[in-house]
Amino acid sequence: MNNLTIGFIGYGNMAQAIAQGLVDAGVMNGGQMVACAAHFDKLQKNTAALGVRPLHNPLEVVTAADVIVIAIKPYQIESVIAPLADELAKPGKLVVSIAAGWDLKKYQDLFTTEDGVSVDSLDIHIQCTIPNTPMAVGKGVLVTESVSTLTDEETATFERLFGPISLIERVDSAHMNIAMVVAGCAPAFTDMYIEALGDAGVKYGLQRATAYRLAAKMVEGVGALYMATGMHPGAMKDAVCSPGGTTIKGVAQLEKDGFRGTVIDGVDAIVG
């Protein structure tokens, strides 16, 4: 990746998480990245830690970068990105969208000219994705739309760039939203679970930092075990529950309190 420059249009928490992950994984260094944001003084502070070069506007980013990451709020895309169509269509530009609710069809509609010709389908090479913040530590998920306008070579570049810091999970366009909720919103649910376990630990005398470390490493380990074995989560749960043992008592109480149903209710509240 030494010959690539990546540019962020928008440099909020998610873009910064991606940049941090890329640098820490040795995929790119900060000097190979540029970014723009609404408030230049804040941008300068946010880019300083990694040595990312702050630029003043999206056009400068598109001009400077080979890989352009659209990382602004979804409602801003029409006004900010549509005027860049001609620049994005120039040879050698690979566009990665991380905006929720924006799939390939929506971008194609955005880039359709008055004469009905879709600039996107002809010239703009774009892949729509939804990332999550653990990409900052190389443990992310990148929900990736199964259709794109990338060439095979560009797809390989995309995977070499983001594969080291995330699971690239391809899903069809109709399921991008629910996949985003499971991978992108549920970290907040998991944070609450870790916090709750920490509170329980403190209740019974553990130091809070110790309780949080134990809970966080437990969550990481359970996920790693599933990824390594593919064992059904129910079977993994059963393997910890001995007959008449301590764990099954806690499981029974969680079932009584509607633990799994409450999680599904949380997803329903977002999707519904």
Side-chain angles (χ1 to χ4, degrees):
M1 294 296 172
N2 290 337
N3 59 337
L4 286 178
T5 298
I6 185 168
F8 295 93
I9 298 178
Y11 199 65
N13 291 339
M14 194 63 249
Q16 292 175 54
I18 294 172
Q20 186 72 59
L22 292 173
V23 171
D24 288 350
V27 178
M28 307 188 79
N29 61 59
Q32 293 175 273
M33 302 185 203
V34 299
C36 68
H39 303 288
F40 191 73
D41 55 345
K42 183 178 180 181
L43 175 68
Q44 287 178 302
K45 294 177 182 177
N46 288 339
T47 54
L50 296 179
V52 176
R53 183 157 57 101
L55 299 178
H56 289 88
N57 57 65
L59 179 58
E60 289 184 358
V61 170
V62 175
T63 301
D66 305 295
V67 179
I68 298 98
V69 178
I70 299 175
I72 52 178
K73 301 294 184 184
Y75 73 86
Q76 298 173 313
I77 289 177
E78 185 171 354
S79 61
V80 173
I81 302 302
L84 301 172
D86 289 340
E87 294 297 322
L88 293 172
K90 288 184 176 179
K93 303 295 182 183
L94 192 167
V95 182
V96 177
S97 171
I98 66 170
W102 279 79
D103 58 14
L104 179 60
K105 176 62 166 59
K106 196 165 182 178
Y107 276 104
Q108 288 177 324
D109 291 343
L110 177 69
F111 292 128
T112 298
T113 59
E114 291 182 1
D115 60 3
V117 177
S118 174
V119 176
D120 184 299
S121 64
L122 296 175
D123 300 307
I124 298 179
H125 296 186
I126 186 167
Q127 175 69 71
C128 295
T129 70
I130 301 293
N132 67 5
T133 52
M135 290 180 78
V137 292
K139 301 290 184 182
V141 175
L142 191 62
V143 176
T144 302
E145 190 177 14
S146 57
V147 294
S148 75
T149 50
L150 303 190
T151 64
D152 289 344
E153 182 179 355
E154 288 168 339
T155 297
T157 296
F158 170 82
E159 292 177 351
R160 287 197 303 271
L161 188 63
F162 294 104
I165 63 172
S166 63
L167 167 69
I168 297 173
E169 187 71 24
R170 297 186 181 276
V171 300
D172 59 74
S173 304
H175 293 103
M176 283 288 285
N177 187 47
I178 181 58
M180 178 272 294
V181 174
V182 172
C185 298
F189 302 171
T190 308
D191 293 335
M192 294 170 69
Y193 177 51
I194 291 171
E195 185 179 28
L197 287 174
D199 285 345
V202 170
K203 178 181 178 181
Y204 289 98
L206 279 178
Q207 293 295 314
R208 184 168 294 277
T210 300
Y212 283 162
R213 280 195 300 272
L214 292 172
K217 193 63 179 179
M218 176 277 299
V219 170
E220 179 185 30
V222 170
L225 181 61
Y226 172 80
M227 294 300 292
T229 65
M231 185 185 297
H232 190 284
M236 291 172 64
K237 178 262 296 177
D238 290 348
V240 187
C241 294
S242 358
T246 55
T247 304
I248 191 62
K249 294 175 183 177
V251 168
Q253 185 63 50
L254 289 173
E255 291 284 19
K256 181 179 178 182
D257 293 343
F259 179 74
R260 287 189 285 188
T262 299
V263 172
I264 295 170
D265 285 346
V267 174
D268 289 343
I270 300 170
V271 177

